[in-house]
């Protein structure tokens, strides 16, 4: 019996294997592009806005700082570092730096310390907490101009409230607007009045995130309020505390409104009759709009920027050092814990082997 092959039209050839990858549809490609590119589109408005109002003015300030630039005439000759040399050789610039650092130290340190105390008291569960939180925020809502006018009247040398209170205890009138130290102290009081409550609310938000069981455990172990504050609260809110210190540094070194309006009786309001409280930003403002020298004013702006970055880095490094100050003790404790854990594991393994051997012997 012979077998005949089926007709050609009935034969079905097997498809030849192909190594080419399957073609993706345009929908798949669009979906993959959307998945990868969407996050960048979402964050792009911030970077575009930052480049427009932040990065471009900074770079343009550098360009102006290396030119002779008049406020009315515009761009002049290229002078390179000439403006920086002129500014660094100007005694008024160094006077403004000393005044700025003095007011900064008198305001930032008490401000952060008082803000910590206020935040801790608000976190302890006072009655009517919303009322107290809004009360400490009210000075921040008041405009700097109103605050400056009020405190300028308080520290008036003729009939101000500060001198009247000092007279009640037998102290003579003080020259709040002519003495260098007293003027710095008065301006620091203005700054602290406005910003202490704001920083206190930021620290309060961080304190409320601290687990309550930590305080309860410490209280059961006999730790008092001060001990719990320094051993639990401060270490836990340390990142927020570093943030507050950095922002206080930036704001304190850029102070302008308070010294500008503290004594408006002086010519131009440039920081006192003898520049005894002229800050660096006030000196920059004088260069730009009184002397019309935008080149030197831009050089002052760049130098102030470098000063803020330098002091900010110092504060950050000090804060990190404080935060890791107990690291050796913690490492020793962890080493002892690991040694104890290893010993316990070895003991448990030995006991298991002994039990197994005993059962096999039986």
């Amino acid at each position: 019996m012979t077998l005949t092959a089926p007709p050609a039209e009935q034969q079905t050839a097997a498809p030849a294997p192909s190594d080419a990858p399957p073609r993706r549809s345009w929908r798949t490609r669009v979906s993959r592009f959307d998945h990868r590119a969407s996050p960048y589109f979402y964050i792009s408005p911030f970077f575009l806005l930052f480049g427009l109002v932040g990065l471009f003015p900074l770079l343009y300030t550098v360009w102006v700082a290396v030119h002779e630039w008049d406020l009315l005439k515009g761009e002049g000759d290229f002078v390179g570092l000439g403006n920086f040399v002129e500014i660094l050789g100007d005694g008024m610039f160094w006077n403004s730096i000393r005044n700025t650092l003095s007011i900064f130290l008198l305001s930032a340190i008490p401000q952060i310390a008082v803000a910590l105390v206020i935040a801790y008291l608000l976190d302890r569960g006072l009655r009517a907490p919303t009322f107290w939180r809004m009360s400490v925020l009210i000075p921040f809502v008041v405009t700097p101009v109103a605050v400056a006018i009020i405190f300028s009247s308080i520290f008036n040398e003729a009939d101000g409230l500060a001198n009247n209170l000092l007279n009640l205890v037998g102290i003579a009138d003080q020259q709040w607007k002519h003495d260098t130290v007293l003027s710095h102290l008065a301006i620091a009081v203005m700054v602290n009045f406005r910003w202490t409550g704001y920083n206190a609310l930021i620290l309060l938000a961080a304190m409320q995130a601290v687990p309550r069981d930590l305080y309860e455990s410490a209280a059961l172990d006999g730790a008092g309020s001060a001990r719990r504050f320094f051993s639990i609260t401060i270490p836990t809110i340390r990142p927020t505390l570093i943030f507050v210190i950095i922002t206080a540094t930036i704001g304190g070194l850029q102070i302008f409104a308070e010294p500008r309006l503290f004594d408006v009786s002086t010519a131009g309001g440039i920081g006192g009759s003898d520049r005894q409280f002229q800050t660096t930003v006030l000196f920059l403002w004088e260069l730009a709009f009184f002397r019309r020298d935008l080149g030197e004013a831009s050089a002052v702006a760049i130098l102030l920027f470098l000063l803020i970055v330098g002091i900010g880095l110092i504060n950050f490094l000090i804060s990190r050092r404080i935060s890791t100050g107990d690291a050796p003790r913690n490492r020793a404790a962890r080493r002892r814990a690991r040694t104890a854990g290893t010993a316990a594991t070895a003991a448990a393994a030995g006991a298991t082997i002994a039990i197994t051997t005993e059962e096999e012997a039986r």
Side-chain angles (χ1 to χ4, degrees):
M1 181 177 182
T2 60
L3 298 176
T4 59
E9 61 272 8
Q10 296 181 2
Q11 294 180 356
T12 57
S18 177
D19 294 334
R23 297 182 60 184
R24 295 175 181 173
S25 65
W26 65 272
R27 293 178 180 273
T28 304
R29 295 178 180 176
V30 171
S31 177
R32 288 177 62 86
F33 175 78
D34 176 70
H35 178 73
R36 294 180 178 180
S38 291
Y40 298 98
F41 284 111
Y42 295 150
I43 64 176
S44 60
F46 165 77
F47 289 100
L48 292 175
L49 187 62
F50 171 75
L52 182 63
V53 303
L55 185 60
F56 173 74
L58 180 62
L59 298 178
Y60 194 70
T61 301
V62 176
W63 175 259
V64 176
V66 295
H67 288 80
E68 288 287 349
W69 203 293
D70 186 83
L71 178 63
L72 301 179
K73 298 179 181 179
E75 181 179 353
D77 298 333
F78 176 80
V79 294
L81 299 179
N83 288 327
F84 293 91
V85 174
E86 290 290 333
I87 290 299
L88 292 176
D90 192 342
M92 294 182 184
F93 170 73
W94 295 109
N95 174 70
S96 69
I97 291 291
R98 288 192 295 269
N99 294 337
T100 301
L101 293 177
S102 175
I103 296 173
F104 163 69
L105 293 176
L106 289 173
S107 60
I109 297 176
Q111 179 187 140
I112 296 174
V114 175
L116 270 172
V117 174
I118 293 176
Y120 183 75
L121 294 177
L122 293 176
D123 190 46
R124 293 300 88 195
L126 298 176
R127 293 183 179 180
T130 304
F131 169 77
W132 293 111
R133 293 170 189 172
M134 293 299 298
S135 299
V136 299
L137 191 61
I138 287 177
F140 176 73
V141 178
V142 180
T143 61
V145 175
V147 174
I149 292 175
I150 292 172
F151 279 89
S152 178
S153 176
I154 291 175
F155 291 106
N156 193 317
E157 297 173 353
D159 55 354
L161 178 61
N163 279 337
N164 290 335
L165 293 178
L166 292 177
N167 292 337
L168 293 177
V169 295
I171 301 177
D173 291 344
Q174 301 296 316
Q175 300 295 318
W176 296 103
K177 297 183 179 181
H178 290 82
D179 184 81
T180 301
V181 177
L182 292 179
S183 61
H184 293 182
L185 181 61
I187 295 173
V189 170
M190 298 166 57
V191 177
N192 291 337
F193 172 80
R194 185 163 183 261
W195 289 98
T196 300
Y198 172 80
N199 291 327
L201 288 186
I202 294 179
L203 295 172
L204 173 63
M207 290 182 184
Q208 290 182 335
V210 179
R212 301 291 112 175
D213 55 353
L214 295 179
Y215 295 112
E216 296 173 359
S217 301
L220 292 175
D221 291 339
S225 299
R227 178 73 174 180
R228 294 196 298 267
F229 177 75
F230 288 104
S231 299
I232 297 177
T233 304
I234 295 298
T236 307
I237 69 169
R238 188 172 294 122
T240 305
L241 186 59
I242 293 175
F243 168 79
V244 170
I245 292 174
I246 297 300
T247 54
T249 300
I250 297 173
L253 294 176
Q254 291 180 339
I255 184 173
F256 173 77
E258 288 83 356
R260 168 68 180 84
L261 299 174
F262 181 61
D263 187 10
V264 296
S265 62
T266 56
I270 55 177
S273 57
D274 196 26
R275 303 177 186 271
Q276 63 269 17
F277 53 88
Q278 184 184 52
T279 61
T280 305
V281 179
L282 264 178
F283 179 63
L284 184 156
W285 177 71
E286 179 189 358
L287 286 174
F289 298 103
F290 280 78
R291 304 185 194 178
R292 302 187 310 178
D293 193 341
L294 291 183
E296 292 188 1
S298 299
V300 173
I302 298 299
L303 293 173
L304 179 61
F305 170 76
L306 296 177
L307 176 65
I308 293 174
V309 171
I311 296 180
L313 288 176
I314 292 174
N315 285 338
F316 178 73
L317 294 176
I318 292 176
S319 302
R320 289 198 56 173
R321 186 173 181 84
I322 293 175
S323 66
T324 57
D326 56 348
R329 182 176 57 190
N330 290 341
R331 286 198 295 267
R334 288 195 294 268
R335 192 182 304 112
R336 290 194 299 268
R338 286 196 298 268
T339 303
T342 304
T345 303
T352 303
I353 294 174
I355 293 174
T356 305
T357 305
E358 183 179 356
E359 289 180 352
E360 291 178 352
R362 290 179 180 176

